[in-house]
Amino acid sequence: MELRRSNENFKSITATHDKIAHFIVFMLESWLFVKIFAHRKVRLPISYNRSQLRGYNPLVEPIDIDLESNNDPIGNTNDETYADKFLLGLIICTLLVAVGSEIMQCILTHGARTFDILDILCNASGSSLGIFIAYVTETYFK
């Protein structure tokens, strides 16, 4: 009996404040995603042989980035690819998850749940704000 009452309370809260819930959840999710990385540069699990790249010139030394530097958002060192964690957060959380979750819910439920552009806007704006808060707190309040 108690479980049913709590489920009904949860449904009424989320039905009334659906857009606020989307905004807050994506803000927290994106903030947490960015904060799980200890360093500004994140090594991506992409490996390649530089000689296979188009335009490869063996006479030119590859450019190495300083992992402590905050200049380049994406760089390569010794056949490893690094990305800035804030850029990675924007791509994964804001573009892929915020937009993709709305598209996938419509596909996976066979139309039982509808596609809502306002949900996408709340997801993306909450995600962007979460990443911005993580950036500001890490950059200016260290």
Side-chain angles (χ1 to χ4, degrees):
M1 238 8 167
E2 188 62 38
L3 180 61
R4 181 180 298 170
R5 185 179 308 141
S6 65
N7 284 342
E8 290 171 5
N9 289 341
F10 182 73
K11 283 181 184 178
S12 70
I13 290 170
T14 57
T16 307
H17 306 292
D18 178 50
K19 304 305 182 236
I20 295 170
H22 278 268
F23 182 85
I24 291 171
V25 166
F26 273 86
M27 181 179 66
L28 292 173
E29 170 257 333
S30 300
W31 181 83
L32 285 171
F33 178 84
V34 170
K35 296 304 279 184
I36 62 172
F37 300 110
H39 301 288
R40 177 95 186 239
K41 298 292 180 185
V42 178
R43 188 173 70 83
L44 301 176
I46 301 170
S47 180
Y48 58 88
N49 183 345
R50 288 183 193 273
S51 62
Q52 294 173 346
L53 296 176
R54 194 179 328 176
Y56 175 73
N57 184 353
L59 300 176
V60 177
E61 282 291 316
I63 299 172
D64 290 336
I65 62 169
D66 179 12
L67 292 181
E68 298 301 319
S69 171
N70 293 334
N71 297 335
D72 297 329
I74 297 178
N76 302 326
T77 70
N78 302 330
D79 295 337
E80 293 178 344
T81 303
Y82 290 84
D84 184 89
K85 70 179 182 179
F86 300 108
L87 177 63
L88 195 62
L90 280 172
I91 292 169
I92 291 175
C93 297
T94 306
L95 295 179
L96 295 178
V97 178
V99 176
S101 65
E102 285 296 314
I103 294 169
M104 290 307 293
Q105 81 176 358
C106 186
I107 292 170
L108 293 176
T109 62
H110 303 291
R113 297 199 55 183
T114 58
F115 179 85
D116 189 357
I117 194 72
L118 290 177
D119 283 350
I120 290 177
L121 290 174
C122 289
N123 294 351
S125 58
S127 178
S128 299
L129 181 62
I131 293 168
F132 179 73
I133 290 170
Y135 173 79
V136 168
T137 56
E138 189 170 306
T139 305
Y140 298 108
F141 299 107
K142 240 181 174 180

